[in-house]
Structure formats: structure tokens, C-alpha cells
Amino acid sequence: MSTSDLTGQGVDAIDTPALVLDLDAMERNLARMQDFAKAHGVRLRPHAKMHKSAALALLQMQAGAVGVCVQKTSEAQALAASGVNNIFISNEVIAPHKLQRVAALATELHARGGRLAIAVDSLQGVQGLTHALGHAATDSLIDVFVELDVGHGRCGVASPEAAVRLARVIARHSALRFAGLQAYHGRAQHLRSVPERHAAFAAVLALVQAACAALQAAGLPAALVTGAGTGTFALEAASGVYGELQAGSYLFMDADYARNEADPAQPQFEHALFLKTQVMSVCASHAVCDAGHKSHAIDSGLPRVLGGALEYVNGGDEHGILRGCNSDAKLPAIGDVLWLIPGHCDPTVNLHDVLVGVRGGLQQGLVEQVIRVDARGALA
Ligand SMILES: Cc1ncc(COP(=O)(O)O)c(C=O)c1O
């Protein structure tokens, strides 16, 4: 049965391997995060690079998110083509042909009553953007955030002084609006203990505060500081400095985030993303299922098997090896269905064309919706 015919069918009808979304769990995650942002007086702009789906971006915006983040120009284009009007490319774009697409998208979203934003960390980035926008561009057509490296060691200007220098250049161009600071520390999200995450965030906050003070002194106050992921967002929200949270994984959760020590200041999120797989071979020592690493990403560790009695061992592209977690564990039989919790949700979703949305649980539920991964493979 093709995935488009699945709506209304029982879970048994879903062919394997398939990425299945527990809609009830996902909606609880959605509401918990939105309620948290509201209670703390911060905006939520979830990172849509996680689900790459316009339907889910629109669901998040209906629930109260101001818009979504993406990482790539083509992701922004794919979501905009399916109705998402408020998008922040929280990343640097340099190639002139990509900046042409950014300029065209900014104009299109503006005409639709929406808005595009982008991050920069270099003079070349700002110059390329203004060149692509041309002289005729509408005033303040695009929001531009200066990215500050807050310890992640990836993109971002290295100091508050460099942030001021770049903000000055942005402020000189009428088509650009200096919107504030992009300040995201990715590695801090996955530090396992709460004290480790607090310590990492203290260093982040000191840098952000110094940059805000330097911008203020230069007469260019950061209208907004934006950042945060699923591991630290409660810290950004309580900082009094960040005005917008970019967490993404909270909506689906994954096995890697589940290894973080729970922070009592954060709402807890449930696993909503599962890989349905079937056992196709069994021997005395192990069973073999039909989900290998072509169906789930393994950069943040192997998937966990729902139920806890079995361990998943990498069996290659198309195979997963299942062993008992202890000597008493019973191996599954040929034909049995198992549910895997992917190690890392973002790159796992990017391996699939659709997410099969199930209502009523993984055992007895019905397929309610087949959700397209609109920006699958949109890497440019
Ligand atoms: C710039 C940026 N913001 C926010 C996020 C969201 O993080 P998470 O999915 O861990 O919540 C990411 C993820 O990598 C990111 O790169």
C-alpha cells in the first residue's frame, strides 16, 4: 500500500521501515513548549530544520510561534512554497546565486505580508546581500541578525567589538534592518548534567551581555537576542536577555536528548518520532530487522528499541541486529514489529519523504495524516 492510501488505516498497514509520528505525543510536546514560552514572556521560533515540513511549521505557528528558523536557503524556499510566511535563515549565506534567491524570497514574503530574516557574520555576507537586493529594494525588507560565536566554535563574530562593526554596516543599508543578535551554542544542548549546561550557559550569557552593552553604547541596541535549543532553552528564557527561543527537537525528541539529565526548570517532552521496523531473520543469538542506517541517522548514537528489553546493534545499510539486553531477554520472532527511537531526529527525518502521523497510539492507532517532508534534501 502506498503511503498516500494509508489515511484511516490501522498501524498494521504501514509498510516497514517507516517513520511514524505519534500525533498525540507530538501535540502534547507542542503545547508544553508553547505554554512555557508564553509563561516566560519570550517568543518561540522553533527550528524547522528538524522536521522540514510546512504542515508542522504551520501547526507550530497556529499554536503561537512567531515563525520558524531554517538553516538553508532551499529549506526556506520549500517551506515558503507551502505557505510558511515568516522564516529566519539562522545561518550564513555567501554564494551570490543563493543570495539572489534570498532576495527574491524576501520580496515574495514581504508581498504576502510575511517576513524573511537572515544571519551574517562577515562584511562579505552583508555586501553580498545588499548587492543581491539591489537599489530598488523596499526599505527594511529583510531582518539581519549578527551571529555571535558564544562558544560553539562554528559561525559567528568573535567579539562584541566585531558585532558592533558589523551592525554599523548593516544599519547603513536601507533595505536591511539590524534586528539583533543570533547567539546559539549547539554543544551546550547535549551536555548531560544540569550543572554542566548551567556552567556553559553562564559563559554564553556573559558574552551576549557584553555584546548587548557594546551595541547599546554604539547607539545600535539589539532589538532581539535569539537562540536556544531543546537542552538549554529554560536558561535562555530566564536570562532576561534572550527574547526568542529556537528549540526544534522538543517536538519529536530523540534518544540522544533523552540521555540529558532532566532540568526541573524545563517541561519534559515525550518521544513522538518512531521508526517502525519488522523482524526478518532470527537465529540463536540475535534477530535482524529491516531498518539499517539508511533509515535513521547514527551520528548521535544508535536507536533505542521501545520497550527496553532489546539492544539495537548496527547491522549496516539495511539491517539492524537485535540482541537481548540481558541473558533472560526473549528475542522477537520473525514477522514481529518493533519500534525504534532514532538517535538524532533531524538527520533521520531528512532520510524520509513522509512522516506517517498516527492517532491513538502505536499499538491500536489509526493513520490520521501523511505529512510530507517538504524540505527533504534541501541542503543548498
Ligand atoms: C542555530 C540553531 N538554533 C536552534 C537549533 C535547535 O536545536 P534543537 O533541535 O537541539 O532544539 C539548532 C540545532 O542544531 C541550531 O543549529
Side-chain angles (χ1 to χ4, degrees), residues 47 49 71 90 154 182 184 228-230 246-249 257:
H47 220 299
K49 81 186 186 68
Q71 223 60 326
S90 60
R154 195 166 65 178
Q182 157 74 8
Y184 172 74
T230 300
Q246 299 176 358
S249 301
Y257 259 128

